[in-house]
mmCIF file of all heavy atoms in Angstrom:
data_model
loop_
_atom_site.group_PDB
_atom_site.id
_atom_site.type_symbol
_atom_site.label_atom_id
_atom_site.label_comp_id
_atom_site.label_asym_id
_atom_site.label_seq_id
_atom_site.Cartn_x
_atom_site.Cartn_y
_atom_site.Cartn_z
ATOM 1 N N LEU V 25 6.902 25.432 -25.226
ATOM 2 C CA LEU V 25 6.226 25.470 -26.533
ATOM 3 C C LEU V 25 5.711 26.885 -26.857
ATOM 4 O O LEU V 25 5.552 27.166 -28.055
ATOM 5 C CB LEU V 25 5.039 24.541 -26.483
ATOM 6 C CG LEU V 25 5.400 23.014 -26.421
ATOM 7 C CD1 LEU V 25 4.105 22.160 -26.297
ATOM 8 C CD2 LEU V 25 6.191 22.617 -27.747
ATOM 9 N N HIS V 26 5.512 27.746 -25.861
ATOM 10 C CA HIS V 26 5.073 29.067 -26.125
ATOM 11 C C HIS V 26 6.191 30.106 -26.153
ATOM 12 O O HIS V 26 6.065 31.348 -26.111
ATOM 13 C CB HIS V 26 4.044 29.465 -25.055
ATOM 14 C CG HIS V 26 2.687 28.849 -25.254
ATOM 15 N ND1 HIS V 26 2.302 27.793 -24.485
ATOM 16 C CD2 HIS V 26 1.731 29.074 -26.189
ATOM 17 C CE1 HIS V 26 1.063 27.384 -24.931
ATOM 18 N NE2 HIS V 26 0.740 28.170 -25.970
ATOM 19 N N GLY V 27 7.419 29.556 -26.266
ATOM 20 C CA GLY V 27 8.611 30.451 -26.415
ATOM 21 C C GLY V 27 9.331 30.848 -25.211
ATOM 22 O O GLY V 27 10.315 31.571 -25.227
ATOM 23 N N HIS V 28 8.873 30.427 -24.004
ATOM 24 C CA HIS V 28 9.448 30.736 -22.759
ATOM 25 C C HIS V 28 10.365 29.520 -22.333
ATOM 26 O O HIS V 28 10.067 28.801 -21.444
ATOM 27 C CB HIS V 28 8.484 31.013 -21.677
ATOM 28 C CG HIS V 28 7.516 32.025 -21.997
ATOM 29 N ND1 HIS V 28 7.764 33.333 -22.058
ATOM 30 C CD2 HIS V 28 6.103 31.933 -22.348
ATOM 31 C CE1 HIS V 28 6.638 34.042 -22.455
ATOM 32 N NE2 HIS V 28 5.687 33.188 -22.613
ATOM 33 N N LYS V 29 11.509 29.433 -23.005
ATOM 34 C CA LYS V 29 12.413 28.320 -22.853
ATOM 35 C C LYS V 29 13.072 28.254 -21.534
ATOM 36 O O LYS V 29 13.412 29.224 -20.872
ATOM 37 C CB LYS V 29 13.564 28.413 -23.909
ATOM 38 C CG LYS V 29 12.982 28.321 -25.409
ATOM 39 C CD LYS V 29 12.392 27.045 -25.661
ATOM 40 C CE LYS V 29 11.904 27.022 -27.165
ATOM 41 N NZ LYS V 29 11.229 25.850 -27.525
ATOM 42 N N THR V 30 13.104 27.034 -21.016
ATOM 43 C CA THR V 30 13.728 26.690 -19.657
ATOM 44 C C THR V 30 15.015 25.929 -19.912
ATOM 45 O O THR V 30 15.251 25.372 -21.056
ATOM 46 C CB THR V 30 12.773 25.948 -18.742
ATOM 47 O OG1 THR V 30 12.380 24.735 -19.420
ATOM 48 C CG2 THR V 30 11.539 26.757 -18.470
ATOM 49 N N PHE V 31 15.857 25.805 -18.910
ATOM 50 C CA PHE V 31 17.113 25.053 -18.998
ATOM 51 C C PHE V 31 16.736 23.572 -19.111
ATOM 52 O O PHE V 31 15.889 23.090 -18.393
ATOM 53 C CB PHE V 31 17.933 25.362 -17.850
ATOM 54 C CG PHE V 31 19.362 24.905 -17.992
ATOM 55 C CD1 PHE V 31 20.138 25.237 -19.092
ATOM 56 C CD2 PHE V 31 19.895 24.054 -17.071
ATOM 57 C CE1 PHE V 31 21.438 24.821 -19.219
ATOM 58 C CE2 PHE V 31 21.225 23.604 -17.174
ATOM 59 C CZ PHE V 31 22.003 23.986 -18.286
ATOM 60 N N PHE V 32 17.467 22.820 -19.962
ATOM 61 C CA PHE V 32 17.140 21.394 -20.209
ATOM 62 C C PHE V 32 17.712 20.442 -19.241
ATOM 63 O O PHE V 32 17.274 19.261 -19.206
ATOM 64 C CB PHE V 32 17.660 21.083 -21.601
ATOM 65 C CG PHE V 32 19.099 20.996 -21.725
ATOM 66 C CD1 PHE V 32 19.752 19.789 -21.623
ATOM 67 C CD2 PHE V 32 19.927 22.088 -21.949
ATOM 68 C CE1 PHE V 32 21.091 19.686 -21.717
ATOM 69 C CE2 PHE V 32 21.236 22.015 -22.072
ATOM 70 C CZ PHE V 32 21.876 20.769 -21.935
ATOM 71 N N LEU V 33 18.732 20.870 -18.469
ATOM 72 C CA LEU V 33 19.543 19.851 -17.712
ATOM 73 C C LEU V 33 18.743 19.074 -16.685
ATOM 74 O O LEU V 33 18.889 17.857 -16.562
ATOM 75 C CB LEU V 33 20.710 20.550 -17.135
ATOM 76 C CG LEU V 33 21.762 19.579 -16.490
ATOM 77 C CD1 LEU V 33 22.241 18.539 -17.546
ATOM 78 C CD2 LEU V 33 22.918 20.378 -15.949
ATOM 79 N N GLN V 34 17.948 19.784 -15.927
ATOM 80 C CA GLN V 34 17.160 19.069 -14.858
ATOM 81 C C GLN V 34 16.257 18.013 -15.362
ATOM 82 O O GLN V 34 16.178 16.917 -14.912
ATOM 83 C CB GLN V 34 16.468 20.130 -13.933
ATOM 84 C CG GLN V 34 15.956 19.516 -12.607
ATOM 85 C CD GLN V 34 14.712 18.757 -12.786
ATOM 86 O OE1 GLN V 34 13.849 19.046 -13.650
ATOM 87 N NE2 GLN V 34 14.507 17.775 -11.840
ATOM 88 N N PRO V 35 15.386 18.364 -16.421
ATOM 89 C CA PRO V 35 14.526 17.331 -16.910
ATOM 90 C C PRO V 35 15.259 16.221 -17.624
ATOM 91 O O PRO V 35 14.811 15.071 -17.643
ATOM 92 C CB PRO V 35 13.565 18.038 -17.869
ATOM 93 C CG PRO V 35 14.096 19.454 -18.100
ATOM 94 C CD PRO V 35 15.065 19.641 -16.925
ATOM 95 N N LEU V 36 16.430 16.541 -18.178
ATOM 96 C CA LEU V 36 17.183 15.433 -18.831
ATOM 97 C C LEU V 36 17.715 14.496 -17.779
ATOM 98 O O LEU V 36 17.738 13.241 -17.956
ATOM 99 C CB LEU V 36 18.401 16.072 -19.571
ATOM 100 C CG LEU V 36 19.308 15.048 -20.251
ATOM 101 C CD1 LEU V 36 18.671 14.184 -21.271
ATOM 102 C CD2 LEU V 36 20.509 15.820 -20.904
ATOM 103 N N ALA V 37 18.224 15.071 -16.743
ATOM 104 C CA ALA V 37 18.691 14.166 -15.587
ATOM 105 C C ALA V 37 17.624 13.313 -14.928
ATOM 106 O O ALA V 37 17.775 12.185 -14.674
ATOM 107 C CB ALA V 37 19.286 15.014 -14.490
ATOM 108 N N ALA V 38 16.361 13.975 -14.914
ATOM 109 C CA ALA V 38 15.208 13.178 -14.363
ATOM 110 C C ALA V 38 14.836 12.097 -15.404
ATOM 111 O O ALA V 38 14.489 10.972 -14.952
ATOM 112 C CB ALA V 38 14.023 14.114 -14.208
ATOM 113 N N THR V 39 14.938 12.407 -16.640
ATOM 114 C CA THR V 39 14.643 11.331 -17.658
ATOM 115 C C THR V 39 15.533 10.143 -17.554
ATOM 116 O O THR V 39 15.081 8.932 -17.545
ATOM 117 C CB THR V 39 14.753 11.984 -19.086
ATOM 118 O OG1 THR V 39 13.862 13.045 -19.203
ATOM 119 C CG2 THR V 39 14.388 10.898 -20.130
ATOM 120 N N VAL V 40 16.839 10.396 -17.480
ATOM 121 C CA VAL V 40 17.827 9.275 -17.360
ATOM 122 C C VAL V 40 17.629 8.557 -16.122
ATOM 123 O O VAL V 40 17.549 7.300 -16.020
ATOM 124 C CB VAL V 40 19.180 9.885 -17.491
ATOM 125 C CG1 VAL V 40 20.293 8.760 -17.204
ATOM 126 C CG2 VAL V 40 19.442 10.496 -18.886
#
Side-chain angles (χ1 to χ4, degrees):
L25 292 173
H26 288 102
H28 306 288
K29 300 295 183 179
T30 58
F31 192 55
F32 72 94
L33 190 56
Q34 195 280 330
L36 176 61
T39 302
V40 172

